[in-house]
Amino acid sequence: MGIFETIIIAIVEGLTEFLPVSSTGHMIIAQNVLGVESTDFVKAFTFIIQFGAILSVICLYWKRFFRLNDVPSGVSGKKAFLIKYEFYWKLLVAFIPAAVLGLLFSDAIDAMLERVEVVAVMLVVGGVFMLFCDRIFGKGEKTVMSDKNAFMVGLYQCISMIPGVSRSMATIVGGMSQGLTRKAAAEFSFFLAVPTMLAATAYKLLKLVMDPVQRIILADNMGILMLGNVVAFIVALLAIKFFIGFVSKYGFKAFGWYRIIVGGAIIVMMLCGVNLQIA
């Protein structure tokens, strides 16, 4: 994989990782259009450059990530801890379901990633749902969620283990189902992406590092990995800013139609005999 292919794939990652359109589906199209072979390194590359996207969230919302709540006088013990570290606690509560299921069903999830038809169908099904989700859940009124709300969003995130669903779509819909506003649901989706994607990236990277052959390949391609992360970081910054403004004003219908078009394109390509592989 050369510099040109690296930049294009990283742009696709940065654009789609936080939008409810499934980065996996877009990776299928991008890699096949570019003629990139689905090697072990390419598969690792698409996970590792998620780190750049993660940093974009922390950069945009650093005040939220590193701010601790003031504890009222007279409050101590467990209650004081939960008040002070409320932000991190809710992220942990929402992260746990996907962490548990991800470890238990890692092999099954990896097997589904080879099923291109699953990605295509879920893109279309998810797109149809997004055409009506604004009508189903309304605009919402809550900007702050409870522990129960956070856990429910975490359960919705587990649905995104099915390729083509989109982690962003699942968690945003989960937030809206709990009465959150579109903006609050989208922002919590971004926040939850940090521990979720960091854990998934670290897990995949660790498996590769434990393999002597893959460790050498990774070491030889550090420049490509660094370039991919930088590009994904910059593009994700722009994508997040655009998405928050767009969805707050217009809702999710446009993304629904877009998913249907992309999913339909993959199905047509398969019917035409194009050999698609998921990296």
Side-chain angles (χ1 to χ4, degrees):
M1 185 167 64
I3 292 177
F4 176 75
E5 290 82 3
T6 297
I7 292 174
I8 296 300
I9 293 174
I11 288 174
V12 172
E13 162 67 18
L15 281 174
T16 61
E17 187 61 57
F18 296 108
L19 303 185
V21 296
S22 177
S23 59
T24 301
H26 286 74
M27 289 294 175
I28 295 171
I29 296 176
Q31 290 181 28
N32 279 275
V33 168
L34 294 171
V36 176
E37 183 182 356
S38 185
T39 63
D40 288 337
F41 171 73
V42 172
K43 292 178 181 179
F45 174 83
T46 59
F47 276 97
I48 295 171
I49 61 173
Q50 289 180 348
F51 183 73
I54 293 170
L55 290 180
S56 71
V57 177
I58 297 175
C59 180
L60 281 175
Y61 294 97
W62 67 271
K63 289 184 178 180
R64 300 275 288 276
F65 266 96
F66 301 107
R67 184 187 66 190
L68 301 179
N69 293 334
D70 295 326
V71 179
S73 59
V75 179
S76 60
K78 178 181 177 181
K79 187 174 182 180
F81 176 85
L82 293 178
I83 292 175
K84 186 174 184 178
Y85 297 98
E86 179 185 17
F87 176 77
Y88 304 106
W89 171 250
K90 287 178 179 176
L91 284 184
L92 177 62
V93 169
F95 168 70
I96 287 175
V100 173
L101 290 181
L103 288 174
L104 290 176
F105 301 103
S106 175
D107 292 340
I109 294 169
D110 286 343
M112 280 196 294
L113 285 174
E114 302 297 331
R115 302 281 302 277
V116 183
E117 69 276 11
V118 173
V119 175
V121 170
M122 294 312 300
L123 277 169
V124 175
V125 171
V128 172
F129 178 79
M130 295 205 79
L131 294 180
F132 303 99
C133 70
D134 287 316
R135 187 180 304 174
I136 295 172
F137 299 117
K139 294 184 177 181
E141 298 179 353
K142 295 166 61 175
T143 57
V144 178
M145 64 171 60
S146 65
D147 292 351
K148 180 181 178 181
N149 296 151
F151 184 73
M152 291 301 297
V153 173
L155 291 179
Y156 271 86
Q157 179 169 240
C158 294
I159 302 173
S160 67
M161 292 180 182
I162 303 173
V165 169
S166 168
R167 191 208 64 82
S168 179
M169 186 194 85
T171 50
I172 291 173
V173 169
M176 292 176 65
S177 74
Q178 301 304 299
L180 291 178
T181 63
R182 295 170 183 165
K183 181 178 180 181
E187 288 183 340
F188 190 76
S189 173
F190 299 154
F191 301 152
L192 183 55
V194 174
T196 302
M197 293 165 59
L198 186 59
T201 301
Y203 178 69
K204 293 290 185 182
L205 186 58
L206 179 62
K207 290 179 67 175
L208 288 169
V209 171
M210 296 298 288
D211 185 324
V213 176
Q214 296 304 320
R215 184 164 61 243
I216 294 174
I217 294 175
L218 287 175
D220 290 340
N221 289 276
M222 287 304 297
I224 291 293
L225 293 174
M226 291 178 65
L227 175 61
N229 274 287
V230 170
V231 173
F233 169 78
I234 295 172
V235 176
L237 280 176
L238 301 175
I240 290 173
K241 287 185 176 181
F242 158 78
F243 180 63
I244 287 294
F246 186 92
V247 78
S248 297
K249 187 173 182 179
Y250 299 108
F252 297 98
K253 187 171 291 187
F255 295 102
W257 283 116
Y258 182 76
R259 286 177 63 101
I260 293 171
I261 292 171
V262 173
I266 295 175
I267 292 173
V268 170
M269 290 169 71
M270 291 176 62
L271 293 175
C272 290
V274 178
N275 182 25
L276 299 174
Q277 299 181 56
I278 302 177

